[in-house]
Amino acid sequence: MLNKNQIAQRIAQELRDGWYVNLGIGIPTLVANYVPDDINVEFQSENGILGMGPFPYEGEEDADMINAGKQTVTLKPGASVFDSSTSFAMIRGQHIQLTVLGAMEVSQDGDIANWKIPGKMVKGMGGAMDLVASAENIIVAMMHTNRSGASKLLKACTLPITGVKCVSKVVTNLAVLEIKDGAFHLLERAPGVSVEEIKGSTEGALIVGGEIPEMQL
Amino acid sequence: MLNKNQIAQRIAQELRDGWYVNLGIGIPTLVANYVPDDINVEFQSENGILGMGPFPYEGEEDADMINAGKQTVTLKPGASVFDSSTSFAMIRGQHIQLTVLGAMEVSQDGDIANWKIPGKMVKGMGGAMDLVASAENIIVAMMHTNRSGASKLLKACTLPITGVKCVSKVVTNLAVLEIKDGAFHLLERAPGVSVEEIKGSTEGALIVGGEIPEMQL
Amino acid sequence: MNKVYKNAAEALEGVNSDMTFMLGGFGLCGIPENAISELVRRGIKGLTCISNNAGVDDFGLGLLLQKRQIKKMISSYVGENDEFERQMLSGELEVDLIPQGSLAERCRAGGAGIPAFFTPAGYGTEVSEGKEMRYFNGKPHILETALTADFAFVKAWKGDKYGNLIYKGTARNFNPVMAMAGKITVAEVEELVEPGVLDPYFIHTPGVFVQRIFQGTNYEKRIEQRTVRPKKDAK
Amino acid sequence: MNKVYKNAAEALEGVNSDMTFMLGGFGLCGIPENAISELVRRGIKGLTCISNNAGVDDFGLGLLLQKRQIKKMISSYVGENDEFERQMLSGELEVDLIPQGSLAERCRAGGAGIPAFFTPAGYGTEVSEGKEMRYFNGKPHILETALTADFAFVKAWKGDKYGNLIYKGTARNFNPVMAMAGKITVAEVEELVEPGVLDPYFIHTPGVFVQRIFQGTNYEKRIEQRTVRPKKDAK
């Protein structure tokens, strides 16, 4: 079973040289720590950064330089800063090659719910709806089940959705799954996790084609 | 009867302190030469300038600094340069207080035709259609009649129109006229020009209310 | 063309209860701190505020929420503010949550004379309820309309007397699009300069969008999530 | 992330007959001179060119018109080019004339994932024929759709290896919106610099919009209407 950092590490294997990538809050943010040395990717932050760098050294933080999670950040050489409409022009216009998001639920059709629990959590969707409606390549990073052990990979989302038929891949603490043709297709198992265990934790349709390899981290 | 410079001079009297103004090609361009000393107006050029200054001194012209008429220009202190979509955001968003344009025909309803003579002149509308569709205050600067002596102030435009019900005022070599309620309202006569002469040169409905004063230049 | 006001109190002349305001900023970054203080001081109520976020409990728009001055918030994300969540869940506060990109584009559209546009964001979700849907290139989109405001309050790094503005880093965010969309746009700046000081090729907000400008004071610039790395010996 | 190509010939790899191109520039100001030369050299035909103007008879897009390489022009103003007018009136050349602001906004929309928007420009004129009309705030508007292109050719002042661009003066014009709208955007620059040289707060076109960049050569930068004042003794 993977921890959060390992989920991020596995997702980092999906990165390709020259990609622009938007990382959501939570586990997705950790992906930046595992970029392979031999490729160059640029991170976009929807509040207006392309080429986001690491957190600043202590004492060098600048209130006027934050990321979409409101954390103080730095810029890499070759970065650019712009306004919110330009930032979402990049996102909506499909200029970003990969989006990694957290989710509360994902359906076998690729629907995603990650913004609202009626009557309870009303934080808002932020940029998530724009991201999922436009991105051609969306990977969801999340735990396979919720705190009470119920599957988060469902036939249909029960929470208000953020977007329809948009998620292409899910990486959880148990598995890597591709979504197509109305089902989760199991691609890889987490080290030590059996196909049966994944089946038991997946409510949505699960396709298991032949031998399923273990992830290589 | 006014010459072109005098038409521009009369239009300059309409300027108010603090206005942003877009001047079309031809007579309108000349208006910039007659801004009263005691007011400050900023000229917008739709290719991307706010705060356009005079022509450069000989030898100081810069191919990268032109106005919408493709003439080399300079910038005044406090000017800004921007892209075409921002420029027309200003225009369409009604941030420009006055637009002065030339015209081939104007109708008593305020329609304007100034972009096309079918089968003959196909230069295109440039920014004129955006300007006339959005501007709240449009003054047309033109000769009262065409070269063959026919009125250019018509009941209805005969040429393809640039915009509908948009012209608020017309300043010609003969008169200043306001357009409202489907008629040209005569406000001022050019020095030495009689009301009869203006009537004779105006095909559209002309309202003459009482004594009509001569223009003061 | 001189648009300079002495301070926030003078620059906000004409603001009133029941008006609609836009306020720039993302989180607490680039917010018009002086304008917000002045709105609190004036105690006007029944406000509709368009702002990406709602501040935190004791800073930014949270200050107006504390005093119950806001009737309705139009935002994309309000997760940083407990008082907001309480007022919203209890029904005291009307809230219109909008996808962040649609919010930015709707402000820009309001300033650019574009009354409506189609976007894919929100299709199939609560956001699309009651909105026109149409396919373009085989993909569903919804029609979103422009936003404008009686006043837009923006915060810039430097500005000149004609209202030309430049922003520092990510403090830019929503400020440029909101500056475009205000019927009256009031800019507060950290440094007010003479016309000609700012490079005309690198102005972020041309002065035509700004009606009033003043030199702000006492910027706190609070950081919501201070995140740092330990200092290395050799940087 | 290195997007640098050696020259126009290499950077234009993949251009072909019957493709749609966008070309930045206003008049002859800020046009991609090197890309145009290369298109002439390659002799590809049946092109659809989206460009505010069509050059003059012997420069800019006029060079492509001379060689009959262009099938269709999408422009706002073509008055500077006699050969254009001849080909258009004789029916050799298809021409779609678009209000300049709609042209700019349609390019931006194409790059920003906005498939269509309403604008007042052109209502009641030939431009509105066949287009959807709708009232907003009591005023008629027409629906305009986004433009995109197989290649966008833009010209910048300085650019870095990641494709970040800045433009000089009014040579900016249509270049930024066309850079956004090209499936492949090729930028030619007067000065190619290392990443980090350009100030990140003042980038006109962020590199994400640019797929290829090269150092241009032999810029002629012809002036269409040289207009000057006589030199005063004391300037």
Side-chain angles (χ1 to χ4, degrees):
Chain A
M1 212 181 300
L2 305 186
N3 62 28
K4 290 181 178 184
N5 277 305
Q6 289 169 315
I7 293 175
Q9 199 178 344
R10 174 59 191 82
I11 289 174
Q13 293 176 9
E14 306 283 314
L15 300 172
R16 297 291 171 269
D17 189 40
W19 276 8
Y20 292 94
V21 177
N22 183 295
L23 301 177
I25 296 168
I27 303 175
T29 303
L30 302 171
V31 173
N33 300 332
Y34 299 100
V35 182
D37 284 339
D38 56 341
I39 68 170
N40 186 3
V41 298
E42 294 292 323
F43 294 107
Q44 199 243 20
S45 188
E46 64 260 32
N47 61 317
I49 306 176
L50 207 63
M52 189 169 32
F55 298 127
Y57 290 111
E58 217 175 322
E60 294 179 10
E61 62 272 24
D62 178 356
D64 291 325
M65 185 53 63
I66 65 169
N67 66 14
K70 281 94 176 181
Q71 297 171 307
T72 42
V73 291
T74 60
L75 298 179
K76 285 169 58 179
S80 57
V81 175
F82 32 83
D83 72 81
S84 300
S85 71
T86 304
S87 181
F88 282 92
M90 293 174 192
I91 290 168
R92 213 189 296 102
Q94 305 191 320
H95 302 276
I96 306 295
Q97 280 75 36
L98 174 63
T99 296
V100 185
L101 289 170
M104 300 190 284
E105 296 177 349
V106 173
S107 86
Q108 64 194 27
D109 290 314
D111 296 356
I112 176 173
N114 70 350
W115 78 281
K116 185 178 184 180
I117 303 173
K120 207 163 148 195
M121 190 195 83
V122 286
K123 292 178 185 306
M125 68 292 281
M129 280 193 187
D130 307 273
L131 282 160
V132 301
S134 303
E136 292 188 303
N137 188 7
I138 298 174
I139 299 179
V140 163
M142 65 177 189
M143 294 295 135
H144 210 98
T145 54
N146 65 21
R147 281 171 200 170
S148 43
S151 179
K152 295 170 73 174
L153 287 77
L154 306 174
K155 287 192 200 311
C157 292
T158 63
L159 294 169
I161 61 170
T162 311
V164 292
K165 295 187 183 175
C166 52
V167 177
S168 41
K169 230 172 227 185
V170 182
V171 178
T172 73
N173 51 331
L174 303 185
V176 178
L177 309 102
E178 192 183 355
I179 298 180
K180 60 177 181 190
D181 309 326
F184 297 100
H185 295 252
L186 185 58
L187 299 183
E188 298 174 20
R189 297 171 294 117
V193 173
S194 70
V195 169
E196 282 315 301
E197 201 172 338
I198 294 164
K199 275 186 183 165
S201 297
T202 306
E203 190 227 77
L206 180 72
I207 310 273
V208 182
E211 204 62 36
I212 304 299
E214 250 187 28
M215 295 177 206
Q216 303 297 320
L217 291 179
Chain B
M1 212 179 305
L2 305 187
N3 62 28
K4 289 181 179 184
N5 278 304
Q6 288 168 316
I7 293 175
Q9 201 177 344
R10 175 59 191 84
I11 289 174
Q13 293 176 9
E14 306 283 315
L15 300 171
R16 296 292 171 268
D17 188 41
W19 276 8
Y20 292 94
V21 178
N22 183 295
L23 300 177
I25 296 168
I27 303 176
T29 303
L30 303 171
V31 173
N33 300 332
Y34 299 99
V35 181
D37 284 340
D38 57 341
I39 68 169
N40 186 2
V41 298
E42 295 291 323
F43 293 108
Q44 200 244 18
S45 187
E46 64 261 31
N47 61 318
I49 305 176
L50 207 63
M52 190 168 32
F55 298 128
Y57 290 111
E58 218 176 320
E60 295 180 8
E61 62 273 23
D62 178 356
D64 291 324
M65 185 53 63
I66 65 169
N67 65 14
K70 281 94 177 179
Q71 297 170 308
T72 42
V73 291
T74 59
L75 299 180
K76 286 169 58 179
S80 58
V81 175
F82 33 82
D83 72 82
S84 300
S85 71
T86 305
S87 182
F88 282 91
M90 293 174 193
I91 289 167
R92 212 188 298 102
Q94 304 192 321
H95 303 276
I96 306 296
Q97 279 75 37
L98 174 65
T99 296
V100 185
L101 289 170
M104 301 191 285
E105 296 177 349
V106 174
S107 86
Q108 63 195 27
D109 291 315
D111 297 355
I112 177 173
N114 70 350
W115 78 282
K116 185 178 184 181
I117 303 173
K120 208 165 147 194
M121 190 195 83
V122 286
K123 293 179 184 305
M125 68 292 281
M129 281 194 187
D130 307 273
L131 281 160
V132 301
S134 303
E136 293 188 304
N137 188 8
I138 298 174
I139 300 180
V140 163
M142 65 176 189
M143 294 295 136
H144 211 97
T145 54
N146 65 21
R147 282 171 200 168
S148 42
S151 178
K152 295 170 74 174
L153 288 76
L154 306 174
K155 288 192 200 310
C157 292
T158 64
L159 294 169
I161 61 169
T162 312
V164 293
K165 296 188 182 174
C166 52
V167 178
S168 40
K169 228 173 230 184
V170 183
V171 179
T172 74
N173 51 331
L174 302 185
V176 177
L177 309 103
E178 192 182 356
I179 298 179
K180 60 177 178 187
D181 308 327
F184 297 100
H185 296 251
L186 185 58
L187 299 183
E188 298 174 21
R189 298 171 293 115
V193 174
S194 70
V195 169
E196 284 313 304
E197 201 171 337
I198 294 164
K199 275 187 184 165
S201 297
T202 306
E203 189 226 75
L206 180 71
I207 310 273
V208 181
E211 203 62 36
I212 304 298
E214 250 187 24
M215 295 177 207
Q216 305 297 319
L217 291 179
Chain C
M1 204 56 67
N2 187 342
K3 301 171 178 177
V4 177
Y5 285 68
K6 215 191 307 180
N7 50 40
E10 293 197 357
L12 267 67
E13 202 200 335
V15 299
N16 257 314
S17 291
D18 304 315
M19 278 187 167
T20 296
F21 299 148
M22 284 182 182
L23 300 105
F26 183 96
L28 301 179
C29 180
I31 60 173
E33 295 186 17
N34 285 222
I36 291 171
S37 298
E38 174 62 15
L39 290 173
V40 171
R41 196 190 65 78
R42 290 190 175 228
I44 54 176
K45 297 199 183 283
L47 306 177
T48 296
C49 291
I50 303 171
S51 169
N52 188 57
N53 310 93
V56 294
D57 283 324
D58 63 345
F59 200 59
L61 282 179
L63 299 171
L64 287 165
L65 284 165
Q66 271 182 12
K67 297 282 178 76
R68 303 279 200 288
Q69 291 178 261
I70 301 179
K71 182 183 71 179
K72 181 176 181 179
M73 280 294 311
I74 299 176
S75 302
S76 89
Y77 190 81
V78 294
E80 259 71 77
N81 191 316
D82 293 336
E83 173 63 13
F84 183 100
E85 200 153 345
R86 195 198 60 69
Q87 288 186 27
M88 177 174 174
L89 289 173
S90 72
E92 291 167 63
L93 183 68
E94 287 174 61
V95 178
D96 190 0
L97 290 170
I98 295 179
Q100 192 173 139
S102 297
L103 179 61
E105 192 67 17
R106 289 174 70 179
C107 292
R108 179 187 178 276
I114 308 251
F117 60 89
F118 284 96
T119 174
Y123 166 76
T125 76
E126 284 181 12
V127 165
S128 68
E129 281 168 23
K131 287 177 182 157
E132 181 178 338
M133 192 271 280
R134 195 180 297 193
Y135 279 82
F136 293 92
N137 308 314
K139 200 176 150 177
H141 292 75
I142 59 175
L143 186 69
E144 292 282 8
T145 54
L147 290 170
T148 56
D150 296 309
F151 281 82
F153 302 112
V154 301
K155 152 76 170 49
W157 184 18
K158 297 179 187 177
D160 71 24
K161 294 181 174 179
Y162 291 179
N164 294 301
L165 306 177
I166 62 172
Y167 306 92
K168 183 156 166 267
T170 57
R172 191 173 339 172
N173 56 64
F174 280 83
N175 283 297
V177 290
M178 290 184 170
M180 295 170 72
K183 289 195 194 85
I184 297 175
T185 292
V186 181
E188 56 184 86
V189 297
E190 291 181 53
E191 193 183 338
L192 186 60
V193 301
E194 289 297 319
V197 171
L198 302 177
D199 186 335
Y201 297 177
F202 297 94
I203 301 292
H204 293 139
T205 292
V208 72
F209 295 120
V210 175
Q211 280 68 49
R212 306 178 186 176
I213 188 166
F214 69 96
Q215 166 82 59
T217 54
N218 299 317
Y219 284 105
E220 190 171 332
K221 292 204 195 179
R222 215 184 274 187
I223 293 176
E224 270 180 85
Q225 306 284 344
R226 188 178 305 270
T227 323
V228 296
R229 287 181 290 170
K231 259 196 180 149
K232 281 185 188 160
D233 290 334
K235 193 191 143 196
Chain D
M1 202 56 66
N2 186 343
K3 300 171 179 179
V4 177
Y5 284 68
K6 216 191 305 179
N7 51 39
E10 293 196 358
L12 267 67
E13 202 200 333
V15 298
N16 257 312
S17 292
D18 304 314
M19 278 187 169
T20 297
F21 299 149
M22 285 183 180
L23 300 104
F26 183 96
L28 300 179
C29 181
I31 60 173
E33 296 187 16
N34 284 222
I36 292 171
S37 298
E38 174 63 16
L39 290 173
V40 171
R41 196 189 67 77
R42 289 186 176 230
I44 54 176
K45 297 201 183 281
L47 306 177
T48 296
C49 291
I50 304 170
S51 170
N52 188 57
N53 311 94
V56 294
D57 283 324
D58 63 344
F59 200 59
L61 282 180
L63 299 171
L64 287 166
L65 284 165
Q66 273 182 12
K67 299 281 177 75
R68 304 279 201 287
Q69 293 178 260
I70 301 178
K71 182 184 71 179
K72 180 176 181 179
M73 280 294 311
I74 299 176
S75 302
S76 89
Y77 190 82
V78 294
E80 260 70 78
N81 191 315
D82 293 335
E83 173 64 12
F84 183 101
E85 202 152 342
R86 196 198 60 70
Q87 288 186 26
M88 177 174 174
L89 290 174
S90 72
E92 291 167 63
L93 184 67
E94 287 174 61
V95 178
D96 190 2
L97 290 170
I98 296 180
Q100 193 174 139
S102 297
L103 179 61
E105 193 66 17
R106 289 175 69 181
C107 292
R108 179 187 178 276
I114 307 256
F117 60 89
F118 285 95
T119 174
Y123 167 76
T125 76
E126 285 181 10
V127 165
S128 67
E129 281 168 24
K131 287 177 182 158
E132 181 178 339
M133 193 270 280
R134 195 180 298 193
Y135 279 82
F136 292 93
N137 307 313
K139 201 175 150 178
H141 293 75
I142 59 175
L143 186 68
E144 292 281 8
T145 53
L147 290 170
T148 57
D150 296 310
F151 281 83
F153 301 113
V154 302
K155 153 75 170 50
W157 184 17
K158 297 179 187 178
D160 70 23
K161 294 182 173 176
Y162 291 179
N164 294 300
L165 305 176
I166 61 170
Y167 306 92
K168 183 154 166 269
T170 57
R172 194 176 334 174
N173 56 64
F174 280 83
N175 284 298
V177 290
M178 290 184 170
M180 292 170 74
K183 289 194 192 86
I184 296 175
T185 291
V186 181
E188 56 184 86
V189 297
E190 291 181 54
E191 194 183 337
L192 186 61
V193 301
E194 289 297 318
V197 171
L198 302 177
D199 186 335
Y201 297 177
F202 297 94
I203 300 292
H204 293 138
T205 292
V208 73
F209 296 120
V210 175
Q211 280 68 50
R212 305 177 185 177
I213 188 167
F214 69 96
Q215 166 82 60
T217 55
N218 299 316
Y219 284 104
E220 191 171 331
K221 290 202 194 182
R222 215 183 276 188
I223 294 176
E224 269 179 86
Q225 306 284 343
R226 188 178 304 269
T227 322
V228 297
R229 288 182 290 171
K231 260 197 182 149
K232 282 185 188 161
D233 290 336
K235 191 186 143 201

